[in-house]
């Protein structure tokens, strides 16, 4: 490898662990003017603050925002040297102002142009699976870029993408594996590629490639845990890091998302550790009633998480529906009722079988102490405690810190909030004031939500 | 704004820094439609408008001709911007023969334009045509951006919505798409048709470079920009003109209707006065 390439790769991949966290922010070059395109300056600044190792920009934006990347510790600049119209192909993009029916890809800069702008690498696409002619054209164009990069000592990051009629769910992993190796044979110094979906096939891809492999984040995920879990799997399979795009640029807090990725990739922390609430804080479930469509997925998810089976009978929450009719209009309103940790059930339990868990503050149930008296059920102000066949109450345990109802709710009617709260003086008892406040919270929720349904 | 001293200085030649705006007049229609009414003698047109506008967009051949004959206004008037490409896609439906296939070709390189004395180059970004056309256009635009960056010459993207894929329903979104591509590709300013208030506000919020609205005179189409004060209606209400001209960072007068109007000098004067009175940046 030429010294220029080696030095610039070292600017991107942390020499301590050979890994990199990169953010792709070049979407405006190829797709519609979404929020992440409009607010790019703020996003790039947040990415820099988050400590990313690299950021991918179009040349035009690099000319304007390059100064945000000044300094040895700032992210390395990666430049998108080509253009394509995939985001506008068919219904792939929700905006899609001008849909296209045929894939096109062209060079948009030379390696020398990118080098002159201060790039540490270029990134180019490599499409496979769309058709023989287009594949050959892609090979030729990638080879052209690779040759330019060799000449000027600039790393060439190739992004294989399997799209088109020859790609199916059954063969996409194989396409990615093959295209990864093809890209290396053409001259890639590193790869930017989608996760194949499992560790075994991705591990083979990484081994066969023989160059650093950065995995993509893909489309924006509603659940940051899913995105981080995927990264953790990829790293286990040998990935050298990530290139996250919309999962960062569309995140509510891009800096935090980058920071989480850096922690995962460079510091070896687990996803659970990263997402754990800060010390002195507690997890709470929040309900936004107006978002609830009554799909009951939360109940099913809860039941499944605790029994491993499909159903709702063992769910620790309840979705209630109510008819409404104004005379001219009518319908059904839905609202999930979740445990608010008010402590009424704990108070009602005569044997101490129900307590608050030290540390998390969540309910803890001791089967050995439970006599099956059933007093906790009526004590619950929301009436959400069900009983199993042994008359034991089914109380919310927050699924060990990852509440499945919130994870699965497609409309964010149930979300997890991290609230600052001092540990209870005695986790075995209930503070009346806290319980009162919690009930007040519920009332406020009911009024702030649809307001149509009484607790 | 361009972060390149050559670009900054040349941009300031026609983007007036004191009131933050540009009044451009596009004379390149003759390259595709011949000597249209009002533009039979380009020298006369320059005499007429050259001291009101801040910049004149001319084709390379006309630039050479005007410059060599001393017809450009010099430091007291408009700066020359050279259009480096040609297209048949903007010809009207009543043109001599209908267009069968949209084409766009380069007339000059950025370097050639700079040698001619240009203070910027202008290139088309034509939206709504087929995929091949679009890809070639984007590629050409991207390489012009690289060349102009090397030369320190501002690049102005002239975004035009012409193809069958653009209609009233997606007009504003198509303009936004064009703007995103222009900015990400490296344009130092861009010219757009009026996309409506909401889209224009979003574009201005997004754009790190000057936004110039094309004024073509027809108030009854998306090409407009003048609303009810269209040229053909003769409604030169100063208040509405002022608000029209101050909606963006500048205006570009172009098109057959503009050149055919007997009041084009008044229009450009009003635009200038409106900018000077209430610049928006």
């Amino acid at each position: 490898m030429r010294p220029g390439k080696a030095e610039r790769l070292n600017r991107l991949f942390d020499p301590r662990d050979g890994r990199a966290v990169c953010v792709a922010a070049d979407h405006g070059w190829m797709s519609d003017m979404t929020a992440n395109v409009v607010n790019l300056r703020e996003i790039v600044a947040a990415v820099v603050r988050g400590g990313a190792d690299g950021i991918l920009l179009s040349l035009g934006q690099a000319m304007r925002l390059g100064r945000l990347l000044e300094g040895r510790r700032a992210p390395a600049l990666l430049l998108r040297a080509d253009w394509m119209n995939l985001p506008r192909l068919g219904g792939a993009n929700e905006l899609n102002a001008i849909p296209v029916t045929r894939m096109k890809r062209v060079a948009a800069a030379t390696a020398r142009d990118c080098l002159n702008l201060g790039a540490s690498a270029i990134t180019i696409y490599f499409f496979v699976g769309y058709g023989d002619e287009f594949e050959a054209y892609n090979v030729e164009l990638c080879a052209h870029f690779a040759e330019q990069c060799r000449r000027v000592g600039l790393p060439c990051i190739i992004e294989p993408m399997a799209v088109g009629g020859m790609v199916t769910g059954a063969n996409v992993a194989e396409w990615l594996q093959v295209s990864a190796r093809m890209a290396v044979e053409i001259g890639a110094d590193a790869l930017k590629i989608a996760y194949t979906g499992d560790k075994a096939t991705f591990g083979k891809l990484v081994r066969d490639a023989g160059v650093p492999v950065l995995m993509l984040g893909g489309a924006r995920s509603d659940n940051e845990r899913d995105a981080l879990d995927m990264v953790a799997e990829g790293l286990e399979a040998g990935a050298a890091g990530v290139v996250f795009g919309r999962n960062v640029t569309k995140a509510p807090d891009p800096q935090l998302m980058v920071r989480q990725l850096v922690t995962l990739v460079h510091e070896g922390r687990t996803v659970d550790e990263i997402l754990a609430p800060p010390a002195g804080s507690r997890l709470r479930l929040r309900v936004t009633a107006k978002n609830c469509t009554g799909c009951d997925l939360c109940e099913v998810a809860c039941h499944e998480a605790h029994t491993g089976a499909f159903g709702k009978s063992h769910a620790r929450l309840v979705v209630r529906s109510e008819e409404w009719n104004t005379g001219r209009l009518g319908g059904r309103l839905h609202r999930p009722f979740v445990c608010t940790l008010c402590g009424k059930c704990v108070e009602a339990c005569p044997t101490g079988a129900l307590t608050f868990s030290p540390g998390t503050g969540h309910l803890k149930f001791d089967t050995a102490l439970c006599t099956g008296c059933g007093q906790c059920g009526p004590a619950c102000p929301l009436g959400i405690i069900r009983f199993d066949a042994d008359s034991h109450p089914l109380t919310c345990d927050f699924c060990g810190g990852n509440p499945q109802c919130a994870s699965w709710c497609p409309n964010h009617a149930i979300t997890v909030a991290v609230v600052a709260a001092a540990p209870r003086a005695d986790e075995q008892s209930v503070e009346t004031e806290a319980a009162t406040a919690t009930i007040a919270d519920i009332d406020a929720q009911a009024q702030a939500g649809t307001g149509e349904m009484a607790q | 704004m361009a972060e390149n001293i050559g670009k900054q200085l040349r941009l300031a030649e026609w983007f007036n820094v004191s009131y933050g705006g540009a009044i451009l007049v596009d004379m390149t229609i003759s390259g595709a439609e011949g000597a249209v009414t009002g533009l039979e003698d380009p020298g006369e047109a320059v005499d007429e408008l050259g001291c009101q506008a801040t910049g004149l967009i001319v084709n390379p051949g006309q630039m050479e001709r005007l410059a060599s004959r001393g017809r450009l206004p010099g430091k007291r008037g408009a700066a020359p911007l050279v259009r480096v490409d040609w297209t048949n896609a903007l010809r009207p439906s009543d043109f001599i023969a209908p267009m069968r296939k949209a084409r766009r070709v380069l007339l000059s390189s950025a370097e050639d334009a700079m040698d001619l004395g240009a203070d910027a180059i202008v290139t088309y970004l034509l939206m709504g045509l087929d995929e091949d056309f679009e890809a070639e256009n984007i590629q050409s635009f991207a390489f012009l951006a690289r060349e102009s960056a090397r030369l320190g010459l501002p690049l102005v993207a002239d975004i035009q919505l012409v193809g069958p894929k653009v209609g009233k329903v997606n007009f504003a979104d198509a303009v936004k798409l064009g703007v995103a591509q222009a900015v990400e590709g490296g344009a130092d300013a861009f010219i757009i048709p009026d996309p409506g208030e909401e889209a224009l506000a979003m574009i201005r919020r997004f754009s790190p470079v000057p936004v110039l609205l094309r004024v073509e005179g027809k108030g009854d189409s998306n090409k407009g920009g003048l609303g009810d004060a269209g040229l053909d209606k003769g409604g030169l209400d100063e208040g509405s003109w002022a608000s029209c001209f101050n909606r963006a960072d500048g205006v570009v007068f172009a098109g057959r209707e503009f050149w055919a109007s007997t009041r084009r000098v008044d229009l450009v004067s009003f635009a200038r006065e409106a900018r000077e009175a209430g610049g928006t940046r």
Side-chain angles (χ1 to χ4, degrees):
Chain A
M1 185 178 286
R2 293 183 63 132
K5 276 194 176 187
E7 172 56 19
R8 292 184 180 102
L9 277 176
N10 263 339
R11 179 73 177 73
L12 174 62
F13 291 96
D14 191 325
R16 289 173 299 183
D17 57 11
R19 288 179 168 179
V21 172
C22 305
V23 175
D26 59 334
H27 300 94
W29 179 218
M30 288 158 288
S31 63
D32 296 274
M33 199 188 281
T34 45
N36 58 329
V37 174
V38 174
N39 304 316
L40 193 60
R41 178 175 285 273
E42 291 77 14
I43 291 167
V44 171
V47 168
V48 173
R49 289 195 301 270
D53 298 294
I55 184 161
L56 173 61
L57 295 175
S58 65
L59 271 77
Q61 293 291 19
M63 282 158 49
R64 297 180 197 95
L65 305 178
R67 291 202 174 150
L68 296 174
L69 308 180
E70 283 177 353
R72 192 69 174 159
R73 288 184 173 272
L77 174 63
L78 315 178
L79 286 175
R80 167 68 64 192
D82 55 357
W83 173 93
M84 56 83 176
N85 62 3
L86 175 66
R88 292 161 44 211
L89 193 63
N93 186 319
E94 60 183 21
L95 284 177
N96 216 354
I98 304 181
V100 294
T101 53
R102 277 184 299 127
M103 276 275 285
K104 294 297 293 186
R105 174 191 170 223
V106 291
T110 63
R112 169 60 73 183
D113 290 329
C114 298
L115 192 66
N116 290 353
L117 272 174
S120 292
I122 64 165
T123 301
I124 52 172
Y125 291 108
F126 173 40
F127 289 103
V128 293
Y130 191 74
D132 298 330
E133 197 180 334
F134 195 62
E135 182 182 353
Y137 166 74
N138 268 264
V139 170
E140 193 178 21
L141 191 53
C142 287
H144 186 60
F145 273 117
E147 186 187 347
Q148 288 180 15
C149 284
R150 276 196 293 274
R151 209 174 298 140
V152 300
L154 187 66
C156 181
I157 300 175
I158 295 184
E159 180 175 354
M161 292 189 75
V163 291
M166 297 156 80
V167 182
T168 66
N171 68 14
V172 65
E174 203 175 344
W175 268 117
L176 289 171
Q177 287 172 336
V178 169
S179 60
R181 181 54 181 263
M182 284 172 72
V184 174
E185 301 285 336
I186 292 168
D189 299 297
L191 298 176
K192 171 178 184 287
I193 196 164
Y195 187 53
T196 53
D198 65 90
K199 274 195 275 189
T201 54
F202 197 71
K204 177 169 167 36
L205 183 155
V206 172
R207 285 192 302 278
D208 291 350
V211 299
V213 175
L214 299 166
M215 57 186 290
L216 304 186
R220 163 102 178 98
S221 167
D222 283 338
N223 185 342
E224 64 183 4
R225 177 178 285 273
D226 289 348
L228 294 174
D229 277 340
M230 185 184 74
V231 174
E233 269 191 31
L235 292 173
E236 281 178 36
V242 295
V243 181
F244 262 41
R246 288 159 290 178
N247 271 307
V248 168
T249 60
K250 287 187 174 178
D253 184 348
Q255 182 181 343
L256 176 65
M257 190 68 199
V258 172
R259 188 65 216 137
Q260 288 173 339
L261 287 169
V262 168
T263 310
L264 184 63
V265 171
H266 288 306
E267 297 170 19
R269 303 270 297 278
T270 66
V271 176
D272 284 339
E273 286 171 342
I274 291 167
L275 295 180
S281 60
R282 297 273 169 85
L283 291 184
R284 293 279 298 274
L285 291 172
R286 287 253 162 86
V287 171
T288 308
K290 64 182 179 184
N291 291 349
C292 182
T293 60
C295 69
D296 292 350
L297 200 52
C298 50
E299 285 187 89
V300 174
C302 181
H303 179 98
E304 195 279 336
H306 293 94
T307 65
F310 182 85
K312 298 199 296 183
S313 60
H314 283 56
R316 273 73 168 163
L317 74 162
V318 176
V319 177
R320 297 200 179 104
S321 303
E322 199 173 79
E323 294 283 351
W324 64 278
N325 195 326
T326 64
R328 292 174 58 206
L329 296 171
R332 289 185 73 77
L333 286 169
H334 313 279
R335 179 190 170 88
F337 289 80
V338 300
C339 177
T340 61
L341 298 173
C342 70
K344 296 292 183 192
C345 54
V346 177
E347 277 180 354
C349 180
T351 64
L354 274 171
T355 55
F356 285 108
S357 177
T360 65
H362 300 151
L363 287 174
K364 193 170 74 168
F365 176 64
D366 189 339
T367 316
L369 295 178
C370 180
T371 60
C373 69
Q375 292 185 39
C376 49
C380 176
L382 301 180
I384 62 173
I385 297 180
R386 294 179 169 112
F387 293 88
D388 64 13
D390 298 324
S391 299
H392 293 152
L394 304 171
T395 52
C396 179
D397 57 3
F398 280 66
C399 299
N402 181 21
Q404 292 301 296
C405 51
S407 284
W408 283 88
C409 178
N411 299 306
H412 307 291
I414 304 176
T415 51
V416 179
V418 179
V419 294
R424 293 168 194 273
D426 176 1
E427 295 286 5
Q428 307 291 320
S429 68
V430 177
E431 291 175 9
T432 311
E433 279 184 21
T436 308
T438 308
I439 295 296
D441 284 349
I442 298 169
D443 292 340
Q445 265 186 30
Q447 284 166 10
T450 61
E452 297 86 349
M453 295 179 66
Q455 291 284 346
Chain B
M1 198 64 72
E3 294 188 358
N4 171 318
I5 190 65
K7 283 194 173 192
Q8 282 180 12
L9 291 177
R10 291 192 176 97
L11 191 71
E13 291 289 308
W14 51 270
F15 189 83
N16 193 311
V17 288
S18 65
Y19 57 79
I23 312 292
L24 305 184
V25 173
D26 186 352
M27 299 171 61
T28 60
I29 188 172
S30 296
E33 298 180 32
V36 298
T37 305
L39 195 52
E40 295 90 346
D41 183 344
E44 255 180 39
V46 173
D47 291 344
E48 213 176 61
L49 301 165
C51 287
Q52 300 298 331
T54 60
L56 299 173
I57 304 174
V58 291
N59 287 313
Q62 202 58 257
M63 171 76 190
E64 187 172 16
R65 189 163 167 266
L66 291 167
S68 62
R69 293 180 182 186
R71 298 300 295 269
L72 291 174
K75 69 185 293 180
R76 298 228 166 250
L81 291 78
V82 170
R83 185 180 290 283
V84 293
D85 50 1
W86 169 95
T87 182
N88 61 356
L90 300 172
R91 284 175 172 159
S93 54
D94 62 354
F95 190 66
I96 310 163
M99 175 190 75
R100 290 188 178 170
K101 183 171 171 55
R103 296 298 305 273
R104 172 189 165 273
V105 294
L106 282 179
L107 297 177
S108 121
S109 63
E111 190 166 9
D112 184 32
M114 190 141 99
D115 290 347
L116 284 169
D119 282 313
I121 55 171
V122 182
T123 184
Y124 290 115
L125 256 185
L126 301 174
M127 312 293 296
L129 293 161
D130 67 67
E131 290 83 351
D132 292 331
F133 188 99
E134 183 187 35
E136 276 178 32
N137 196 171
I138 287 278
Q139 184 168 39
S140 166
F141 167 72
F143 278 96
L144 278 172
R146 305 288 79 74
E147 191 187 0
S148 64
R150 278 196 296 274
L151 296 169
L153 187 64
L155 170 68
V156 181
D158 187 356
I159 299 164
Q160 301 257 8
L161 277 58
V162 291
K165 294 182 177 182
V166 179
K168 281 185 179 173
V169 173
N170 67 345
F171 190 87
D173 285 335
V175 173
K176 287 194 276 187
L177 177 65
V179 167
Q181 291 185 341
V183 171
E184 302 270 342
D188 300 293
F190 52 82
I191 304 167
I192 51 170
D194 188 348
E197 289 305 325
E198 195 179 330
L200 185 61
M202 184 185 183
I203 288 167
R204 296 198 72 196
R205 203 166 63 247
F206 158 73
S207 176
V209 301
V211 182
L212 311 175
L213 270 185
R214 184 182 308 109
V215 176
E216 287 189 292
K218 280 282 188 186
D220 59 350
S221 75
N222 284 323
K223 291 162 65 181
L226 297 184
D228 290 336
L231 286 175
D232 48 348
K233 299 192 176 161
L236 293 181
D237 166 15
E238 288 189 35
S240 59
W241 279 99
S243 62
C244 169
F245 293 138
N246 284 330
R247 290 167 62 218
D249 300 311
V251 288
V252 180
F253 292 99
R256 273 186 174 193
E257 289 80 9
F258 169 75
W259 287 108
S261 169
T262 54
R263 310 186 75 172
R264 57 181 177 267
V265 179
D266 294 338
L267 280 173
V268 179
S269 300
F270 273 142
R272 176 128 191 177
E273 285 165 19
R275 289 302 312 184
E276 287 177 353
T280 51
R281 274 195 183 180

